[in-house]
Amino acid sequence: MSKKILVAGAGGFIGSHLVKRLKKEGNWVRGVDLKYPEFSGTAADDFVIGDLRDTGLCRHIADTRFDEVYQLAADMGGAGFVFTGTNDADIMHNSASINLNMLEACRRKNIKKIFYSSSACMYPEYNQMDPDNPKCSEDSAYPAAPDSEYGWEKLFSERLYLAYRKNHGIEVRIARYHNIFGPEGTWCGGREKSPAALCRKVAETEDGGSIEVWGDGKQTRSFLYIDECLEGTIRLTRSDFTGPVNIGSEEMVTINQLAETIMEIAGKKLSIKHIPGPLGVRGRNSDNKLIKEKLGWTPSMSLKKGLEITYKWIKEQVEQTKKAKK
Ligand code: NAD
């Protein structure tokens, strides 16, 4: 049956893809964001441009009893945005305000189901020092010690959602996303994440040249393709499990391996120049035991397959930008 759905952050990377997916299912969707999606038109039936830090705007958009609300809006970016420290006050103030306002607006309208996108950045730094054996099982979150203010805000907001569940009976669903990537994500400008940044560097560099990688490139991560993220998000929202639960890939690679895979896809041989830069934790990988147990599902697409699709899209963006500059 068709549902009435509200997506906050619908102009962003994951939000704009989620709206497309929910529309394909035949639902009525309202999106809200500070901006329209950057790379293609929105698929939403109704799109409100507005600031979710404004309580009035949140009440205005949550004007009916939506069947599902997806709260994806946040002030966020990759390591170059989150780990330099220069954006910490904005990150904490803006994202916490959005979550406080959205939950209160949903409570006032008696909206019963809200999904919240937390992040693997809330896991304690002390469990992520060994690049080969990072620990990110859901029950390892406490004692809390995230390595960024972005992670602390996510942890605060997870608790806020759980408090609204406990005191106001709202069915909340909380996912901890691990590095989501794919086409139509930020690929330049300072907020891009490593897969997009490396795809851009490889696409911009002539065969035989060199690209820069922050740190020694031996730090490990896993990356999840956008379609898998959406599948997990929708499955969780429609399940009877609250979470928090990891939505991520268990295919852990070093950043050097990530760069090499992209070079292989591009058919280029480039050397890697390691330079100082903001890094984050030494190792991180999703732990999918809980999602498998609770939802009977885990992501299965290989990193390489997702990178092939993403590289093709970023290469097109690079070429279009070059042409426009001529
Ligand atoms: P994104 O930056 O592309 O999307 C976030 C959107 O929120 C943006 O379009 C932005 O304009 C909007 N927004 C910010 N402040 C707003 C405000 N005051 N009012 C209205 N809209 C506002 O990020 P994304 O990658 O799509 O991430 C979506 C969510 O998932 C975020 O909460 C993020 O923290 C979380 N997450 C993402 C990843 C990832 O790898 N992409 C990993 C972990 C968690």
Side-chain angles (χ1 to χ4, degrees), residues 247-264:
I247 295 190
S249 160
E250 284 184 329
E251 189 184 342
M252 188 171 79
V253 292
T254 65
I255 299 300
N256 287 334
Q257 284 167 337
L258 177 68
E260 276 149 20
T261 308
I262 297 168
M263 290 180 214
E264 194 188 320

Side-chain angles (χ1 to χ4, degrees), residues 16 20 124 158 206 296:
S16 58
K20 278 187 202 156
E158 283 190 5
E206 299 284 318

Side-chain angles (χ1 to χ4, degrees), residues 174-198:
I174 304 170
R176 292 173 179 160
Y177 288 158
H178 289 243
N179 295 316
I180 315 303
F181 75 101
E184 303 195 2
T186 307
W187 61 278
C188 63
R191 285 188 186 232
E192 65 278 19
K193 300 182 142 207
S194 48
L198 290 171

Side-chain angles (χ1 to χ4, degrees), residues 71 99 115-118 153-154 157-158 161 173-175:
Q71 200 317 76
N99 287 311
F115 168 90
Y116 172 57
S117 51
S118 181
E153 189 283 325
K154 288 293 188 193
S157 289
E158 283 190 5
Y161 280 80
R173 300 287 180 262
I174 304 170

Side-chain angles (χ1 to χ4, degrees), residues 232-244:
T233 298
I234 291 172
R235 280 179 186 255
L236 174 63
T237 305
R238 297 180 186 162
S239 75
D240 55 12
F241 182 51
T242 301

Side-chain angles (χ1 to χ4, degrees), residues 9 11-15 33-35 50-53 72-74 76 98 117-119 150 154 177 179-180 193:
F13 166 52
I14 301 173
D33 202 298
L34 290 169
K35 58 175 177 65
D51 191 334
L52 295 162
R53 290 170 300 181
L72 299 158
M76 73 93 80
I98 294 169
S117 51
S118 181
S119 164
Y150 171 75
K154 288 293 188 193
Y177 288 158
N179 295 316
I180 315 303
K193 300 182 142 207

